[in-house]
Amino acid sequence: MRRGRPAAPASSRQEPLVPAYEEAIFDPAPVTFDHFKLDLRLLSGIKDLGWPETRPVQSGVIPYAVAGRDVIACAETGTGKTAAFLIPILQRFLTGDPAARTAATRALILAPTRELAVQIEDQVQGLTYHTTISSIAVYGGVPMAVQE
């Protein structure tokens, strides 16, 4: 004899609130950034940073993120994850709806450490050098004057 709660009828089961993740198939082979048809100002920043081609995580993430899809990616330190998420954000800023291009906060990137926040800010500055996009890193533990 089986004890415990009886199984709920199939009709009363609730669907999960978050859809299951689907694994994307991608080719991690390096490609030039021109391959993604990015804004020329963004491509100029990429060239200035000395990046001739993508890293595997960038080859996988950028096409999906530029298309507006949600992406979760894992890769080791130093593999290009920061650029993999920044480039699609900046591309959308540069080519998206002109009405949305106001002098307001359009993205908030949270980082777990001050060092990572500064690293992200440095990459944003390099990537946006040829644009009118501005950014700032804000973090705790130092006087405000240092950050102004």
Side-chain angles (χ1 to χ4, degrees):
M1 180 178 345
R2 202 172 139 179
R3 294 183 181 212
R5 251 176 39 183
S11 62
S12 69
R13 291 187 184 157
Q14 291 183 352
E15 292 296 316
L17 297 176
V18 178
Y21 295 110
E22 61 183 75
E23 189 173 330
I25 306 300
F26 72 95
D27 183 357
V31 296
T32 64
F33 286 94
D34 293 335
H35 174 79
F36 301 120
K37 298 178 176 42
L38 300 171
D39 185 276
L40 293 176
R41 296 166 290 179
L42 186 53
L43 286 171
S44 293
I46 291 168
K47 182 180 177 185
D48 289 351
L49 291 169
W51 301 343
E53 58 190 17
T54 60
R55 306 292 301 269
V57 69
Q58 296 162 347
S59 296
V61 167
I62 292 173
Y64 287 97
V66 166
R69 302 207 35 208
D70 293 337
V71 179
I72 296 176
C74 298
E76 292 183 19
T77 300
T79 57
K81 293 182 299 294
T82 302
F85 77 80
L86 286 178
I87 289 171
I89 291 170
L90 298 172
Q91 174 70 8
R92 183 160 297 202
F93 287 174
L94 292 168
T95 62
D97 179 15
R101 296 183 204 159
T102 61
T105 302
R106 295 190 287 162
L108 175 64
I109 299 168
L110 302 176
T113 66
R114 181 181 320 144
E115 293 76 16
L116 185 54
V118 171
Q119 173 195 322
I120 293 167
E121 172 65 6
D122 288 346
Q123 277 202 8
V124 171
Q125 292 297 318
L127 290 167
T128 61
Y129 184 80
H130 300 281
T131 74
T132 58
I133 293 174
S134 62
S135 65
I136 186 167
V138 179
Y139 43 83
V142 296
M144 282 292 293
V146 175
Q147 299 182 56
E148 293 178 354

